[in-house]
């Protein structure tokens, strides 16, 4: 289900005013048109494209990636990363509004059998933002300070292998949909264990601890939560 949502919503980098070619923009527009066509909502393609544009403008109004990178690099030597993330986490409610509006905007081109899951997707993104911005962003500040991004980059191929492993035996989207909740939860646990074990080989434990906490957070907010 998220495939349909994020193929459309995360097209902002192509439909927005970023450094991409006109050919790439046309490719994404064509992809949106195709998705809408499959959902029998070809006439809604322009509305969905407009929603993606609005989402891009909303994000650009909240965050300047180059500025954030500069602020992070300047804050690291002074141990002031918490102040940087506190400032941006103060915008979390606005970010949630941007995302939820975007999800609503792309709904016409989401297959009808998946639309019932959109509120869950919206709630999940809200909870992930809450996780990242817990205590004004202390978690993400610690993650950056402890070279978390570097660890994830170094283990990118290992993490990819973990993701591919849980897809073994599943050859189609229909087969994935047919999995019981119990089997889906088992695969989530397998993915969690695999990713955490790979990150534990990094120089420090913070990235692995962060990943483990995030998986637990996601599981608690899902049907897999048995407590």
């Amino acid at each position: 289900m998220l495939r349909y949502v994020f193929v459309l919503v995360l097209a902002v980098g192509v439909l927005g005013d970023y450094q991409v070619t006109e050919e790439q923009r046309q490719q994404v527009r064509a992809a949106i048109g195709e998705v809408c066509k499959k959902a029998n909502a070809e006439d809604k393609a322009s509305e969905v494209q407009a929603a993606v544009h609005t989402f891009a403008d909303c994000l650009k109004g909240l965050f300047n990636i180059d500025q954030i990178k500069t602020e992070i690099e300047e804050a690291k030597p002074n141990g002031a990363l918490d102040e940087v993330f506190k400032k941006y986490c103060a915008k979390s409610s606005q970010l949630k509004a941007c995302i939820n509006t975007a999800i609503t905007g792309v709904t016409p081109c989401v297959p009808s059998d998946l639309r019932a899951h959109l509120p869950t997707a919206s709630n999940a993104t809200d909870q992930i933002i809450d996780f990242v911005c817990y205590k004004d962003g202390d978690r993400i500040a610690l993650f950056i300070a402890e070279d978390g991004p570097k660890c994830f980059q170094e283990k990118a191929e290992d993490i990819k292998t973990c993701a591919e492993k849980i897809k073994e035996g599943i050859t189609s989207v229909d087969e994935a949909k047919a999995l019981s909740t119990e089997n889906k939860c088992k695969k989530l646990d397998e993915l969690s264990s695999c990713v955490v074990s790979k990150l534990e080989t990094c120089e420090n434990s913070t990235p692995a601890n962060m990943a483990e906490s995030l998986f637990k957070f996601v599981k608690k907010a899902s049907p897999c939560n048995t407590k």
Side-chain angles (χ1 to χ4, degrees), residues 122-143:
S122 179
N123 183 55
T125 57
D126 286 353
Q127 291 192 53
I128 289 173
I129 292 170
D130 289 340
F131 176 86
V132 171
C133 284
Y134 178 72
K135 289 187 176 180
D136 293 327
D138 280 359
R139 280 176 172 148
I140 189 65
L142 179 62
F143 179 74

PDB file of all heavy atoms in Angstrom, residues 122-143:
ATOM      1  N   SER A 122      -1.154   7.283   7.458  1.00  0.00           N
ATOM      2  CA  SER A 122      -1.062   8.636   7.999  1.00  0.00           C
ATOM      3  C   SER A 122      -0.656   8.603   9.466  1.00  0.00           C
ATOM      4  O   SER A 122       0.218   9.350   9.909  1.00  0.00           O
ATOM      5  CB  SER A 122      -2.406   9.348   7.837  1.00  0.00           C
ATOM      6  OG  SER A 122      -2.350  10.657   8.363  1.00  0.00           O
ATOM      7  N   ASN A 123      -1.285   7.701  10.229  1.00  0.00           N
ATOM      8  CA  ASN A 123      -0.966   7.569  11.645  1.00  0.00           C
ATOM      9  C   ASN A 123       0.468   7.109  11.842  1.00  0.00           C
ATOM     10  O   ASN A 123       1.168   7.570  12.755  1.00  0.00           O
ATOM     11  CB  ASN A 123      -1.928   6.573  12.296  1.00  0.00           C
ATOM     12  CG  ASN A 123      -1.701   6.433  13.786  1.00  0.00           C
ATOM     13  OD1 ASN A 123      -1.717   7.407  14.537  1.00  0.00           O
ATOM     14  ND2 ASN A 123      -1.484   5.202  14.236  1.00  0.00           N
ATOM     15  N   ALA A 124       0.929   6.208  10.965  1.00  0.00           N
ATOM     16  CA  ALA A 124       2.300   5.683  11.080  1.00  0.00           C
ATOM     17  C   ALA A 124       3.329   6.784  10.868  1.00  0.00           C
ATOM     18  O   ALA A 124       4.327   6.866  11.594  1.00  0.00           O
ATOM     19  CB  ALA A 124       2.515   4.564  10.069  1.00  0.00           C
ATOM     20  N   THR A 125       3.098   7.647   9.875  1.00  0.00           N
ATOM     21  CA  THR A 125       4.058   8.734   9.634  1.00  0.00           C
ATOM     22  C   THR A 125       4.072   9.702  10.813  1.00  0.00           C
ATOM     23  O   THR A 125       5.136  10.184  11.211  1.00  0.00           O
ATOM     24  CB  THR A 125       3.721   9.504   8.341  1.00  0.00           C
ATOM     25  OG1 THR A 125       2.389  10.017   8.414  1.00  0.00           O
ATOM     26  CG2 THR A 125       3.839   8.618   7.123  1.00  0.00           C
ATOM     27  N   ASP A 126       2.897   9.960  11.394  1.00  0.00           N
ATOM     28  CA  ASP A 126       2.833  10.834  12.574  1.00  0.00           C
ATOM     29  C   ASP A 126       3.650  10.242  13.715  1.00  0.00           C
ATOM     30  O   ASP A 126       4.395  10.955  14.401  1.00  0.00           O
ATOM     31  CB  ASP A 126       1.381  11.008  13.039  1.00  0.00           C
ATOM     32  CG  ASP A 126       0.579  11.926  12.135  1.00  0.00           C
ATOM     33  OD1 ASP A 126       1.174  12.532  11.220  1.00  0.00           O
ATOM     34  OD2 ASP A 126      -0.644  12.036  12.335  1.00  0.00           O
ATOM     35  N   GLN A 127       3.531   8.937  13.906  1.00  0.00           N
ATOM     36  CA  GLN A 127       4.220   8.295  15.026  1.00  0.00           C
ATOM     37  C   GLN A 127       5.732   8.256  14.805  1.00  0.00           C
ATOM     38  O   GLN A 127       6.506   8.388  15.762  1.00  0.00           O
ATOM     39  CB  GLN A 127       3.670   6.891  15.236  1.00  0.00           C
ATOM     40  CG  GLN A 127       2.235   6.901  15.752  1.00  0.00           C
ATOM     41  CD  GLN A 127       1.784   5.528  16.230  1.00  0.00           C
ATOM     42  OE1 GLN A 127       2.429   4.899  17.046  1.00  0.00           O
ATOM     43  NE2 GLN A 127       0.666   5.067  15.700  1.00  0.00           N
ATOM     44  N   ILE A 128       6.152   8.078  13.556  1.00  0.00           N
ATOM     45  CA  ILE A 128       7.593   8.083  13.281  1.00  0.00           C
ATOM     46  C   ILE A 128       8.178   9.465  13.553  1.00  0.00           C
ATOM     47  O   ILE A 128       9.276   9.601  14.109  1.00  0.00           O
ATOM     48  CB  ILE A 128       7.869   7.643  11.827  1.00  0.00           C
ATOM     49  CG1 ILE A 128       7.570   6.143  11.685  1.00  0.00           C
ATOM     50  CG2 ILE A 128       9.314   7.933  11.436  1.00  0.00           C
ATOM     51  CD1 ILE A 128       7.653   5.626  10.273  1.00  0.00           C
ATOM     52  N   ILE A 129       7.437  10.512  13.169  1.00  0.00           N
ATOM     53  CA  ILE A 129       7.886  11.875  13.461  1.00  0.00           C
ATOM     54  C   ILE A 129       7.983  12.078  14.967  1.00  0.00           C
ATOM     55  O   ILE A 129       8.948  12.665  15.473  1.00  0.00           O
ATOM     56  CB  ILE A 129       6.934  12.908  12.832  1.00  0.00           C
ATOM     57  CG1 ILE A 129       7.045  12.862  11.304  1.00  0.00           C
ATOM     58  CG2 ILE A 129       7.254  14.323  13.323  1.00  0.00           C
ATOM     59  CD1 ILE A 129       5.982  13.657  10.581  1.00  0.00           C
ATOM     60  N   ASP A 130       6.989  11.568  15.704  1.00  0.00           N
ATOM     61  CA  ASP A 130       7.014  11.673  17.166  1.00  0.00           C
ATOM     62  C   ASP A 130       8.222  10.930  17.740  1.00  0.00           C
ATOM     63  O   ASP A 130       8.836  11.389  18.706  1.00  0.00           O
ATOM     64  CB  ASP A 130       5.726  11.102  17.769  1.00  0.00           C
ATOM     65  CG  ASP A 130       4.522  11.988  17.513  1.00  0.00           C
ATOM     66  OD1 ASP A 130       4.710  13.188  17.216  1.00  0.00           O
ATOM     67  OD2 ASP A 130       3.388  11.483  17.607  1.00  0.00           O
ATOM     68  N   PHE A 131       8.543   9.783  17.140  1.00  0.00           N
ATOM     69  CA  PHE A 131       9.691   9.005  17.603  1.00  0.00           C
ATOM     70  C   PHE A 131      10.974   9.796  17.404  1.00  0.00           C
ATOM     71  O   PHE A 131      11.808   9.920  18.309  1.00  0.00           O
ATOM     72  CB  PHE A 131       9.778   7.681  16.838  1.00  0.00           C
ATOM     73  CG  PHE A 131      10.990   6.857  17.178  1.00  0.00           C
ATOM     74  CD1 PHE A 131      10.975   5.993  18.256  1.00  0.00           C
ATOM     75  CD2 PHE A 131      12.155   6.944  16.413  1.00  0.00           C
ATOM     76  CE1 PHE A 131      12.098   5.230  18.582  1.00  0.00           C
ATOM     77  CE2 PHE A 131      13.270   6.192  16.725  1.00  0.00           C
ATOM     78  CZ  PHE A 131      13.250   5.329  17.813  1.00  0.00           C
ATOM     79  N   VAL A 132      11.158  10.340  16.212  1.00  0.00           N
ATOM     80  CA  VAL A 132      12.370  11.092  15.891  1.00  0.00           C
ATOM     81  C   VAL A 132      12.492  12.339  16.771  1.00  0.00           C
ATOM     82  O   VAL A 132      13.584  12.693  17.215  1.00  0.00           O
ATOM     83  CB  VAL A 132      12.382  11.479  14.400  1.00  0.00           C
ATOM     84  CG1 VAL A 132      13.515  12.456  14.096  1.00  0.00           C
ATOM     85  CG2 VAL A 132      12.519  10.237  13.531  1.00  0.00           C
ATOM     86  N   CYS A 133      11.350  12.976  17.023  1.00  0.00           N
ATOM     87  CA  CYS A 133      11.372  14.241  17.767  1.00  0.00           C
ATOM     88  C   CYS A 133      11.088  14.079  19.254  1.00  0.00           C
ATOM     89  O   CYS A 133      10.757  15.051  19.942  1.00  0.00           O
ATOM     90  CB  CYS A 133      10.381  15.222  17.147  1.00  0.00           C
ATOM     91  SG  CYS A 133      11.003  15.937  15.605  1.00  0.00           S
ATOM     92  N   TYR A 134      11.235  12.876  19.760  1.00  0.00           N
ATOM     93  CA  TYR A 134      11.062  12.632  21.193  1.00  0.00           C
ATOM     94  C   TYR A 134      12.024  13.516  21.991  1.00  0.00           C
ATOM     95  O   TYR A 134      13.210  13.609  21.682  1.00  0.00           O
ATOM     96  CB  TYR A 134      11.330  11.157  21.482  1.00  0.00           C
ATOM     97  CG  TYR A 134      11.241  10.760  22.934  1.00  0.00           C
ATOM     98  CD1 TYR A 134      10.015  10.698  23.581  1.00  0.00           C
ATOM     99  CD2 TYR A 134      12.394  10.433  23.652  1.00  0.00           C
ATOM    100  CE1 TYR A 134       9.933  10.323  24.919  1.00  0.00           C
ATOM    101  CE2 TYR A 134      12.315  10.061  24.985  1.00  0.00           C
ATOM    102  CZ  TYR A 134      11.084  10.012  25.615  1.00  0.00           C
ATOM    103  OH  TYR A 134      11.011   9.646  26.936  1.00  0.00           O
ATOM    104  N   LYS A 135      11.475  14.186  22.988  1.00  0.00           N
ATOM    105  CA  LYS A 135      12.263  15.112  23.817  1.00  0.00           C
ATOM    106  C   LYS A 135      13.011  16.137  22.955  1.00  0.00           C
ATOM    107  O   LYS A 135      14.225  16.319  23.081  1.00  0.00           O
ATOM    108  CB  LYS A 135      13.251  14.340  24.706  1.00  0.00           C
ATOM    109  CG  LYS A 135      12.582  13.561  25.834  1.00  0.00           C
ATOM    110  CD  LYS A 135      13.601  12.959  26.775  1.00  0.00           C
ATOM    111  CE  LYS A 135      12.910  12.260  27.944  1.00  0.00           C
ATOM    112  NZ  LYS A 135      13.887  11.649  28.888  1.00  0.00           N
ATOM    113  N   ASP A 136      12.256  16.769  22.067  1.00  0.00           N
ATOM    114  CA  ASP A 136      12.790  17.842  21.215  1.00  0.00           C
ATOM    115  C   ASP A 136      13.930  17.386  20.312  1.00  0.00           C
ATOM    116  O   ASP A 136      14.820  18.166  19.965  1.00  0.00           O
ATOM    117  CB  ASP A 136      13.255  19.023  22.055  1.00  0.00           C
ATOM    118  CG  ASP A 136      12.112  19.743  22.744  1.00  0.00           C
ATOM    119  OD1 ASP A 136      11.022  19.786  22.157  1.00  0.00           O
ATOM    120  OD2 ASP A 136      12.302  20.242  23.861  1.00  0.00           O
ATOM    121  N   GLY A 137      13.913  16.114  19.922  1.00  0.00           N
ATOM    122  CA  GLY A 137      14.908  15.627  18.968  1.00  0.00           C
ATOM    123  C   GLY A 137      16.174  15.088  19.579  1.00  0.00           C
ATOM    124  O   GLY A 137      17.185  14.930  18.885  1.00  0.00           O
ATOM    125  N   ASP A 138      16.138  14.750  20.873  1.00  0.00           N
ATOM    126  CA  ASP A 138      17.338  14.207  21.529  1.00  0.00           C
ATOM    127  C   ASP A 138      17.844  12.943  20.837  1.00  0.00           C
ATOM    128  O   ASP A 138      19.049  12.723  20.719  1.00  0.00           O
ATOM    129  CB  ASP A 138      17.049  13.886  23.001  1.00  0.00           C
ATOM    130  CG  ASP A 138      17.107  15.125  23.875  1.00  0.00           C
ATOM    131  OD1 ASP A 138      17.388  16.215  23.330  1.00  0.00           O
ATOM    132  OD2 ASP A 138      16.885  15.014  25.100  1.00  0.00           O
ATOM    133  N   ARG A 139      16.911  12.110  20.376  1.00  0.00           N
ATOM    134  CA  ARG A 139      17.316  10.849  19.743  1.00  0.00           C
ATOM    135  C   ARG A 139      18.101  11.090  18.463  1.00  0.00           C
ATOM    136  O   ARG A 139      19.167  10.505  18.253  1.00  0.00           O
ATOM    137  CB  ARG A 139      16.073  10.010  19.426  1.00  0.00           C
ATOM    138  CG  ARG A 139      15.490   9.255  20.593  1.00  0.00           C
ATOM    139  CD  ARG A 139      14.230   8.540  20.187  1.00  0.00           C
ATOM    140  NE  ARG A 139      13.746   7.659  21.247  1.00  0.00           N
ATOM    141  CZ  ARG A 139      12.461   7.391  21.453  1.00  0.00           C
ATOM    142  NH1 ARG A 139      11.541   7.954  20.689  1.00  0.00           N
ATOM    143  NH2 ARG A 139      12.097   6.568  22.414  1.00  0.00           N
ATOM    144  N   ILE A 140      17.562  11.937  17.595  1.00  0.00           N
ATOM    145  CA  ILE A 140      18.239  12.174  16.317  1.00  0.00           C
ATOM    146  C   ILE A 140      19.541  12.929  16.526  1.00  0.00           C
ATOM    147  O   ILE A 140      20.522  12.710  15.806  1.00  0.00           O
ATOM    148  CB  ILE A 140      17.299  12.907  15.327  1.00  0.00           C
ATOM    149  CG1 ILE A 140      17.920  12.955  13.938  1.00  0.00           C
ATOM    150  CG2 ILE A 140      16.953  14.293  15.815  1.00  0.00           C
ATOM    151  CD1 ILE A 140      18.109  11.620  13.277  1.00  0.00           C
ATOM    152  N   ALA A 141      19.573  13.811  17.534  1.00  0.00           N
ATOM    153  CA  ALA A 141      20.808  14.539  17.828  1.00  0.00           C
ATOM    154  C   ALA A 141      21.901  13.560  18.251  1.00  0.00           C
ATOM    155  O   ALA A 141      23.051  13.660  17.805  1.00  0.00           O
ATOM    156  CB  ALA A 141      20.563  15.571  18.922  1.00  0.00           C
ATOM    157  N   LEU A 142      21.552  12.600  19.102  1.00  0.00           N
ATOM    158  CA  LEU A 142      22.524  11.595  19.549  1.00  0.00           C
ATOM    159  C   LEU A 142      22.943  10.720  18.379  1.00  0.00           C
ATOM    160  O   LEU A 142      24.130  10.386  18.240  1.00  0.00           O
ATOM    161  CB  LEU A 142      21.904  10.735  20.653  1.00  0.00           C
ATOM    162  CG  LEU A 142      22.789   9.610  21.202  1.00  0.00           C
ATOM    163  CD1 LEU A 142      24.053  10.180  21.839  1.00  0.00           C
ATOM    164  CD2 LEU A 142      22.012   8.773  22.233  1.00  0.00           C
ATOM    165  N   PHE A 143      21.986  10.372  17.529  1.00  0.00           N
ATOM    166  CA  PHE A 143      22.266   9.542  16.361  1.00  0.00           C
ATOM    167  C   PHE A 143      23.293  10.209  15.453  1.00  0.00           C
ATOM    168  O   PHE A 143      24.251   9.569  14.999  1.00  0.00           O
ATOM    169  CB  PHE A 143      20.962   9.303  15.600  1.00  0.00           C
ATOM    170  CG  PHE A 143      21.103   8.476  14.351  1.00  0.00           C
ATOM    171  CD1 PHE A 143      21.309   7.118  14.421  1.00  0.00           C
ATOM    172  CD2 PHE A 143      21.013   9.068  13.096  1.00  0.00           C
ATOM    173  CE1 PHE A 143      21.418   6.344  13.273  1.00  0.00           C
ATOM    174  CE2 PHE A 143      21.123   8.316  11.940  1.00  0.00           C
ATOM    175  CZ  PHE A 143      21.322   6.953  12.028  1.00  0.00           C
TER     176      PHE A 143
END
